């Protein structure tokens, strides 16, 4: 098993000290205030850090002792450098987005994620709305015939041996989960589910972020999703095999919403940290993370193009997230993450000209040093990184890759797969999963009466009903869709081989290193294509998408150790524990 590249904490500390020694810090001001996450230095006294916050003009409003962070309200300008001058503080980051999932509206968060995952919208495609088969195969659901990803990871045959155990809990760290969806409700655990975010109608400039609050107090219920991304992920992992709609890779496990994202899809630092550590504390077995760290696509500890404050922000983010991941791993959580949709080799990244992506218009070009820059959370400690494949088994054009970070591969959808065949540019090449009705209505894919609109039909949106109970389903593509396939298989591994968790009675547990070993050893090995260099120009992509697969059949940059295999994991995995 390979060693993951990690930015050393000692290097972060050393460069922070050098930066702070290079100049005087701004004096505390009396202007506008903002929220910050302050990272306490390893081994430092928390009281000293609190005193440093006060001395720098801030007020502590919260604390996460698991990772050593303080939530602080302080002057908007100058606070980061002032508080970071204390020996008790490693750094601080303003409370702005650190992660992003695709957006539904037209706000500041719309960018490449949405264009990738919903590439099929507006394209010339045949009508892909299907009628459910009259008699689905035993153990499968009526719409499962369109779930090629379920078949590629062999979940359809694995469930004869292991379909998941309710004592296994999978956390969805995303935009929320629609716990009322007919395919989610049977497996949704409301008792443990939490929303760590507060809706933000607009930013300080008046620009819309989440829009008007739908619920009093601007806090959505823990069974609500106003974006749709999290519900799609949850369905792929564990939609119930209940004879209705679709089923997930692990259709009998428990699903827990640990929401860390705004309605708009932005992820803020503190909610993400709180979601990870909460999930670890309540005994979650698997956490799926289908997002990446913003506002920096790459978080760097000492990029020459960054300002002193920007460097401190990124170092604080790196350290805090790494601590949270380490904490979850120690508590028995298997961490699965999307590899990213930037069509690049993460071991040899291109220049980053898109960061910081918040607020709008702030980006500038940065040359990325692979040794001191990190793509989080997928390059974080103990995280299993997943690349995305199309229905032909080819690496999807958008998917990141590389021998340095790709652990495994899984179905993520590839709209342009099957060039020269009837498959090409069809909705069925994507991943179908659960879709909240409220989001479908807002997006114009379903009308107020609950009928799929012509726009929805063109996008492949499906309505499935039994009696008066109806559910909706949509197609998306991305490494965000690949990661939950792997998370579902990980949940099956815990279900099959886990032991009773003494710390959390009534649940199962399995060392995450053992889970990873089973996933790796039972994966379906796939060799690099011939030739190794793949051009996507024939499907309309630029030369920037051209990718070269390094490695051999046992391990390579496109597939990692192979394609996750549910059947192999539950039938042969015991040989590796």
């Amino acid at each position: 098993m390979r060693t993951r590249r990690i930015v050393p904490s000692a290097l972060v500390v050393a460069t922070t000290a050098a930066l702070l020694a290079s100049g005087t810090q701004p004096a505390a001001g009396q202007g506008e205030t903002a929220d910050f996450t302050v990272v306490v230095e390893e081994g430092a006294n928390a009281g000293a850090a609190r005193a440093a916050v006060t001395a720098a003009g801030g007020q502590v409003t919260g604390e996460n002792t698991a990772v050593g962070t303080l939530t602080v309200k302080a002057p908007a300008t100058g606070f980061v450098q002032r508080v970071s001058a204390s020996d008790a503080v490693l750094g601080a980051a303003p409370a702005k987005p650190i992660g992003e999932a695709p957006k539904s509206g037209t706000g500041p968060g719309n960018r490449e994620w949405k264009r990738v995952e919903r590439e099929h919208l507006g394209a010339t495609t045949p009508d892909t709305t299907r009628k459910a088969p009259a008699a689905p195969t035993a153990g499968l659901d009526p719409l499962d015939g369109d779930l090629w990803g379920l078949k590629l990871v062999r979940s359809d045959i694995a469930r004869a041996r292991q379909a998941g155990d309710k004592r296994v809990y999978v956390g969805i760290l995303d935009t929320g989960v629609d716990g009322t969806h007919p395919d989610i409700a049977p497996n949704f655990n409301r008792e443990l589910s939490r929303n760590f975010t507060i809706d933000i109608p607009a930013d300080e400039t008046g620009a819309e972020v989440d829009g008007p609050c739908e619920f009093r107090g601007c806090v959505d219920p823990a069974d609500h999703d106003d974006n749709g991304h999290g519900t799609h992920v949850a369905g792929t992992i564990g939609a119930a095999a209940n004879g209705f709609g679709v089923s997930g890779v692990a259709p009998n496990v428990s699903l827990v919403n640990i929401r860390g994202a705004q309605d708009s899809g932005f992820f803020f630092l503190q909610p993400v940290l709180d979601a990870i550590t909460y999930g670890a504390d309540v005994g979650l077995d698997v956490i799926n993370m289908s997002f990446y760290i913003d506002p920096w696509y790459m978080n760097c500890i000492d990029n020459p193009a960054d300002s002193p404050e920007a460097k401190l922000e990124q170092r604080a983010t790196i350290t805090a997230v790494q601590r949270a991941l380490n904490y979850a791993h120690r508590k028995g959580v298997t961490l699965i993450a999307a590899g990213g949709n930037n069509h690049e080799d993460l071991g040899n990244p291109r220049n980053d000209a898109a960061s910081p992506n918040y607020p709008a218009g702030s980006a500038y070009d940065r040359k990325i040093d692979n040794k001191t820059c990190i793509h989080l959370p997928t390059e974080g400690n103990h995280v299993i990184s997943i690349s995305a494949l199309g229905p032909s088994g080819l690496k999807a054009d958008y998917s990141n890759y590389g021998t340095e970070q790709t652990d495994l591969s899984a179905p993520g959808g590839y709209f342009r797969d099957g060039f020269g065949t009837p498959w090409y540019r069809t909705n069925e090449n994507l991943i179908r999963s659960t879709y909240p009705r409220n989001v479908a209505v807002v997006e114009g894919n379903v009308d107020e009466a609950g009928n799929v609109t012509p726009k929805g039909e063109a996008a492949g949106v499906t309505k499935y009903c039994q009696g008066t109970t109806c559910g909706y389903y949509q197609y998306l593509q991305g490494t965000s869709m690949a990661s939950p396939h792997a998370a579902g298989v990980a949940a099956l591994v815990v279900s099959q081989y886990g032991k009773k968790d003494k710390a959390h009675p009534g649940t199962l547990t399995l060392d995450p290193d053992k889970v990873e070993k089973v996933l790796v050893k039972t994966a379906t090995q796939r060799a690099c294509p011939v030739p190794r260099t793949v051009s996507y120009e024939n499907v309309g992509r630029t030369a920037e998408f051209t990718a070269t697969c390094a490695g051999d059949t046992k391990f390579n940059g496109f597939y990692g150790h192979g394609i996750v295999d549910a059947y192999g994991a539950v039938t042969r995995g015991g040989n590796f524990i």
Side-chain angles (χ1 to χ4, degrees):
M1 190 171 297
R2 66 194 172 82
T3 301
R4 185 176 297 282
R5 176 181 64 83
I6 303 295
V7 177
S9 58
L11 182 58
V12 174
V13 172
T15 50
T16 299
L19 175 63
L20 293 171
S22 65
T24 58
Q25 310 311 318
Q30 300 296 321
E32 295 183 357
T33 61
D35 293 320
F36 295 86
T37 295
V38 173
V39 180
V40 180
E41 184 61 82
E42 192 76 37
N45 183 282
R50 286 173 172 269
V53 167
T54 301
Q59 178 184 2
V60 176
T61 59
E63 183 174 9
N64 185 320
T65 57
V67 294
T69 60
L70 303 173
T71 305
V72 173
K73 186 171 289 294
T77 58
F79 173 76
V80 169
Q81 288 176 269
R82 289 195 302 274
V83 75
S84 299
S86 168
D87 290 340
V89 173
L90 183 139
K96 61 186 178 185
I98 68 154
E100 187 173 346
K103 311 302 180 296
S104 301
T106 57
N110 282 279
R111 58 178 176 85
E112 188 62 24
W113 277 91
K114 180 178 178 182
R115 290 193 292 274
V116 168
E117 295 193 358
R118 303 185 179 200
E119 180 191 359
H120 64 302
L121 301 187
T124 302
T125 60
D127 180 5
T128 57
T129 303
R130 303 284 185 85
K131 292 183 178 179
T137 305
L140 295 174
D141 280 352
L143 301 181
D144 284 352
D146 285 336
L147 305 191
W148 57 269
L150 208 66
K151 300 170 186 174
L152 184 57
V153 303
R154 301 207 294 175
S155 166
D156 56 336
I157 60 174
R159 62 189 59 182
R161 170 71 68 89
Q162 180 59 260
D165 192 306
K166 279 290 188 294
R167 295 173 295 172
V168 173
Y169 293 82
V170 182
I172 317 299
L173 205 176
D174 215 290
T175 63
V177 176
D178 178 8
T180 68
H181 192 288
D183 263 324
I184 300 293
N187 293 338
F188 187 72
N189 187 299
R190 281 181 172 78
E191 181 181 357
L192 292 181
S193 291
R194 297 288 187 275
N195 174 13
F196 293 95
T197 68
I198 298 175
D199 286 354
I200 303 172
D203 64 19
E204 62 274 11
T205 69
E208 181 176 300
V209 179
D210 295 326
C213 298
E214 301 94 340
F215 298 92
R216 290 186 178 91
C218 290
V219 177
D220 294 343
D223 63 351
H224 190 76
D225 181 8
D226 269 328
N227 181 289
H229 190 264
T231 299
H232 194 282
V233 165
T236 296
I237 294 171
N242 55 353
F244 186 101
V246 302
S247 64
V249 173
N252 286 350
V253 299
S254 295
L255 301 173
V256 181
N257 175 27
I258 49 171
R259 177 175 164 179
Q262 305 299 129
D263 289 345
S264 52
F266 283 123
F267 286 72
F268 290 87
L269 177 57
Q270 200 61 51
V272 169
L273 298 177
D274 291 344
I276 293 173
T277 55
Y278 168 81
D281 286 339
V282 299
L284 299 188
D285 298 289
V286 181
I287 293 178
N288 185 84
M289 300 178 289
S290 289
F291 62 91
Y292 78 82
I293 303 299
D294 283 328
W296 309 94
Y297 172 72
M298 288 284 182
N299 279 270
C300 303
I301 64 170
D302 195 25
N303 194 294
D306 293 336
S307 69
E309 185 167 353
K311 292 177 182 180
L312 290 169
E313 291 174 13
Q314 291 170 79
R315 292 170 198 166
T317 298
I318 291 170
T319 300
V321 173
Q322 297 282 34
R323 287 181 186 175
L325 297 174
N326 290 340
Y327 182 81
H329 181 265
R330 289 196 304 270
K331 290 273 193 170
V333 181
T334 298
L335 300 162
I336 311 280
N341 296 347
N342 204 42
H343 57 275
E344 69 177 337
D345 182 345
L346 285 176
N348 185 29
R350 299 188 301 271
N351 279 16
D352 179 9
S355 300
N357 63 4
Y358 184 93
S362 302
Y364 51 90
D365 190 61
R366 302 189 302 162
K367 184 176 181 179
I368 298 302
D369 172 24
N370 188 49
K371 294 180 180 179
T372 58
C373 297
I374 188 168
H375 182 65
L376 290 169
T378 203
E379 291 191 283
N381 298 357
H382 311 297
V383 176
I384 301 171
S385 179
I386 311 298
S387 65
L389 310 176
S392 70
L394 293 175
K395 183 190 82 68
D397 53 1
Y398 56 79
S399 180
N400 285 347
Y401 60 98
T403 56
E404 187 175 280
Q405 296 302 337
T406 303
D407 291 297
L408 294 159
S409 54
Y414 177 19
F415 184 58
R416 305 183 191 210
D417 204 354
F419 180 71
T421 76
W423 289 7
Y424 183 58
R425 296 178 69 87
T426 55
N427 293 329
E428 291 93 337
N429 282 350
L430 280 65
I431 303 299
R432 172 184 270 175
S433 190
T434 42
Y435 190 22
R437 174 174 172 168
N438 58 299
V439 178
V441 170
V442 169
E443 294 180 341
N445 291 323
V446 171
D447 62 26
E448 292 291 344
N451 301 309
V452 178
T453 64
K455 177 185 175 183
E457 290 180 358
V461 172
T462 298
K463 176 182 181 180
Y464 180 84
C465 299
Q466 287 184 2
T468 58
T469 301
C470 296
Y472 297 88
Y473 306 86
Q474 67 168 329
Y475 284 106
L476 296 175
Q477 68 174 7
T479 56
S480 284
M481 285 67 247
S483 178
H485 281 88
V489 178
L492 292 178
V493 171
V494 181
S495 298
Q496 182 69 15
Y497 308 109
K499 307 298 182 183
K500 292 181 179 179
D501 188 347
K502 295 180 181 179
H504 302 280
T507 71
L508 299 180
T509 187
L510 186 62
D511 185 328
D513 289 337
K514 292 182 178 180
V515 176
E516 181 175 12
K517 187 175 183 180
V518 171
L519 293 177
V520 166
K521 293 295 186 180
T522 63
T524 303
Q525 294 180 349
R526 183 66 64 93
C528 286
V530 179
R532 288 175 175 266
T533 297
V534 178
S535 169
Y536 297 93
E537 293 181 61
N538 63 327
V539 296
R541 296 302 195 186
T542 65
E544 184 180 271
F545 283 75
T546 298
T548 299
C549 181
D552 56 23
T553 301
K554 292 183 178 180
F555 178 75
N556 60 68
F558 279 14
Y559 299 96
H561 292 281
I563 305 169
V564 291
D565 181 4
Y567 183 74
V570 301
T571 57
R572 298 187 291 110
N575 297 327
F576 308 106
I577 295 178

